[in-house]
Amino acid sequence: MSKITNIVWQFIGRFKYHIVVVLGVLIVGFVDENSFVQRIRYDYQIEELKEEVAKYNKRYETDTRYLKNLNRDPKAIAKIARERYFMKADDEDIFVLSDDVQKPSADKKNEGAE
C-alpha cells in the first residue's frame, strides 16, 4: 500500500501545477455560478428578451399610430363600433357571418337513437 501512495505522491508532486490549472478551469468553467456555461445561458436569455422588447416596441408603435388616427378621424371610431361591437347606423342592416362549427344539439342525438 505504501508503494502505491508513494507513486501517487510522486505524480502529484511532479504535476501539481498542471493539476491545479485543470481543477481551476473545471471549477470556473462548469461548477461556479459565474461559469462559462451559465454565461452562455444568460446570452441566450438576453437574446430572447431583446426579441421580446422589439416585438413590444413594434406593437407600441402600431397602437400609437392607431390611437392617433382615432383621435383625428371620427369615421375611424364609427368603423370600430361597427366591426367590433356590431353597432349600426339607422339605415343599415347587419349580417354576422361565422365560420364556427356548430355542435349537434341534444335533440338531434335523441332523434337518431329512436
Side-chain angles (χ1 to χ4, degrees), residues 30 37-38 40-41 43 47 53 66 75 81 83 88 113:
F30 299 103
V37 174
Q38 190 65 30
I40 291 170
R41 287 183 191 147
D43 287 341
E47 289 301 318
V53 166
Y66 191 66
K75 291 181 181 179
E83 289 177 356
K88 66 178 186 102

Side-chain angles (χ1 to χ4, degrees), residues 20-36:
V20 169
V21 169
V22 168
L23 287 176
V25 167
L26 288 175
I27 289 172
V28 172
F30 299 103
V31 178
D32 191 32
E33 67 181 35
N34 297 320
S35 67
F36 297 120

Side-chain angles (χ1 to χ4, degrees), residues 66 69-83:
Y66 191 66
N69 188 24
L70 287 176
N71 286 333
R72 292 181 188 157
D73 189 13
K75 291 181 181 179
I77 295 173
K79 180 180 177 185
I80 290 175
R82 287 188 174 124
E83 289 177 356

Side-chain angles (χ1 to χ4, degrees), residues 82 86 93-99:
R82 287 188 174 124
F86 304 116
D93 291 329
I94 295 180
F95 297 98
V96 179
L97 304 175
S98 175
D99 290 339

Side-chain angles (χ1 to χ4, degrees), residues 6-112:
N6 192 16
I7 293 172
V8 170
W9 282 112
Q10 284 179 354
F11 179 78
I12 291 173
R14 185 178 299 160
F15 296 109
K16 60 185 168 191
Y17 297 112
H18 295 95
I19 293 171
V20 169
V21 169
V22 168
L23 287 176
V25 167
L26 288 175
I27 289 172
V28 172
F30 299 103
V31 178
D32 191 32
E33 67 181 35
N34 297 320
S35 67
F36 297 120
V37 174
Q38 190 65 30
R39 181 178 168 99
I40 291 170
R41 287 183 191 147
Y42 287 149
D43 287 341
Y44 283 128
Q45 187 177 10
I46 287 170
E47 289 301 318
E48 290 174 359
L49 291 174
K50 283 181 181 179
E51 290 173 4
E52 193 172 339
V53 166
K55 179 181 79 169
Y56 284 122
N57 281 336
K58 182 179 177 184
R59 184 173 176 186
Y60 172 76
E61 290 172 4
T62 56
D63 289 345
T64 303
R65 277 188 261 127
Y66 191 66
L67 184 61
K68 285 180 183 179
N69 188 24
L70 287 176
N71 286 333
R72 292 181 188 157
D73 189 13
K75 291 181 181 179
I77 295 173
K79 180 180 177 185
I80 290 175
R82 287 188 174 124
E83 289 177 356
R84 292 188 184 171
Y85 303 110
F86 304 116
M87 294 183 171
K88 66 178 186 102
D90 292 333
D91 59 344
E92 291 180 333
D93 291 329
I94 295 180
F95 297 98
V96 179
L97 304 175
S98 175
D99 290 339
D100 295 340
V101 177
Q102 297 291 329
K103 293 183 180 179
S105 63
D107 295 335
K108 290 184 181 179
K109 286 182 184 177
N110 291 338
E111 290 174 6

